[in-house]
Amino acid sequence: MPVDITWWGHATATVADSGVRVLTDPLFVRRLAHLRRRRGALPPPEAAVADVAVVSHLHADHLHLRSLERLASGTRLLVPHGAQRAVPGLRRLAADAGLRVTEVVPGDEVVVGDVVIRAVRAAHDGRRLPYGPRRSPALGYVVCGEARTYFAGDTGLFAELADEVGPCDVALLPVGGWGPYLGPGHLNATRAAQALARLAPRSAVPVHYGTYWPIGLDPVRPHEFHAPGEEFVRHAAQLAPGVAVHRLGHGESVRPEVAR
């Protein structure tokens, strides 16, 4: 059974592998604080259908309680260690919605059906203030079934990235953000292509761009909203020409080639 990837927008995607649906960083709202969804329809109800959801870090556009409410009772939820202490609403939500929450740190592995999900380190300050980053690490995840699919969450480049992730068939890499400027601990299109060259998967899907933007800032550096996907395709062709890059529209799916 091949792997299927569906991108719903921002960092939210479904990885379907070996009969298991893994949902990444669920975000299903039209507006979040000062951000509004500028491109792509809201994900349909079936986007919230998952056997397990993974949360990469505690920022509200990645750990979003109202979106997690849409998960069915009994869904597994993997979150960084310390998340339930830093976000008290998460513990209440887990009890009310019947989610099975597991806190993980880099190196932890969780078995769900016929896949193994391994947490890996990310170079990102993903804390929920006032808690410091050491109390709740930012993570990526590697979904190992018929394919090995790396979801980076938010991360910057770091020297041990390829060793941390290990061999992978598909990489879901952030290539932009939700505002005119990217702070430290992020990948833009160029750095994402550099990460791609280090990881050397068979396929890649750019995520975390072209979905949300601050209200009232439409004319400020608009290329940071519109251009990252195309720029990543161009840079990847130069730095990692052997990787098939699939630039999906919102709600689109791909069945990437994987090693046999």
Side-chain angles (χ1 to χ4, degrees), residues 15 18 44 46 59 92 112-113 116 119 127 134 148 151 156 161-163 170 197 214 220 222 246:
V15 178
S18 305
E46 55 263 31
H59 290 164
R92 293 192 296 269
V112 181
V116 177
R127 59 183 156 174
R134 294 183 181 178
R148 292 161 297 187
F151 167 64
L161 175 63
D163 292 335
V170 187
V220 181
H246 304 279

Side-chain angles (χ1 to χ4, degrees), residues 55 105 115 139 155 237 240 244:
V55 169
V105 298
V115 307
L139 303 172
T155 188

Side-chain angles (χ1 to χ4, degrees), residues 62-252:
H62 293 260
L63 196 169
H64 186 253
L65 296 177
R66 283 177 50 205
S67 295
L68 293 175
E69 288 176 353
R70 293 181 53 179
L71 301 178
S73 178
T75 303
R76 292 289 299 270
L77 178 62
L78 308 186
V79 298
H81 175 73
Q84 294 180 94
R85 181 177 180 183
V87 187
L90 179 59
R91 184 172 296 173
R92 293 192 296 269
L93 172 63
D96 294 343
L99 304 180
R100 296 185 292 153
V101 179
T102 301
E103 296 191 352
V104 293
V105 298
D108 284 350
E109 294 185 344
V110 177
V111 178
V112 181
D114 290 332
V115 307
V116 177
I117 302 174
R118 175 167 53 92
V120 298
R121 181 164 65 94
H124 185 69
D125 183 354
R127 59 183 156 174
R128 196 90 149 205
L129 294 173
Y131 292 89
R134 294 183 181 178
R135 299 182 67 173
S136 190
L139 303 172
Y141 294 91
V142 181
V143 179
C144 301
E146 287 214 5
R148 292 161 297 187
T149 302
Y150 169 50
F151 167 64
D154 262 348
T155 188
L157 276 175
F158 58 98
E160 303 83 9
L161 175 63
D163 292 335
E164 183 78 15
V165 174
C168 63
D169 298 293
V170 187
L172 277 61
L173 295 178
V175 301
W178 52 253
Y181 301 96
L182 282 174
H186 293 87
L187 298 177
N188 60 13
T190 303
R191 292 192 294 273
Q194 294 170 352
L196 191 67
R198 298 184 188 184
L199 294 166
R202 298 176 70 92
S203 302
V205 176
V207 300
H208 203 277
Y209 77 99
T211 308
Y212 291 91
W213 200 251
I215 294 170
L217 291 186
D218 290 11
V220 181
R221 293 170 60 86
H223 61 281
E224 297 294 345
F225 179 84
H226 294 284
E230 294 178 355
E231 290 183 352
F232 174 70
V233 171
R234 185 173 69 255
H235 291 307
Q238 296 172 344
L239 298 178
V243 180
V245 177
H246 304 279
R247 186 168 69 89
L248 302 178
H250 294 81
E252 289 186 345

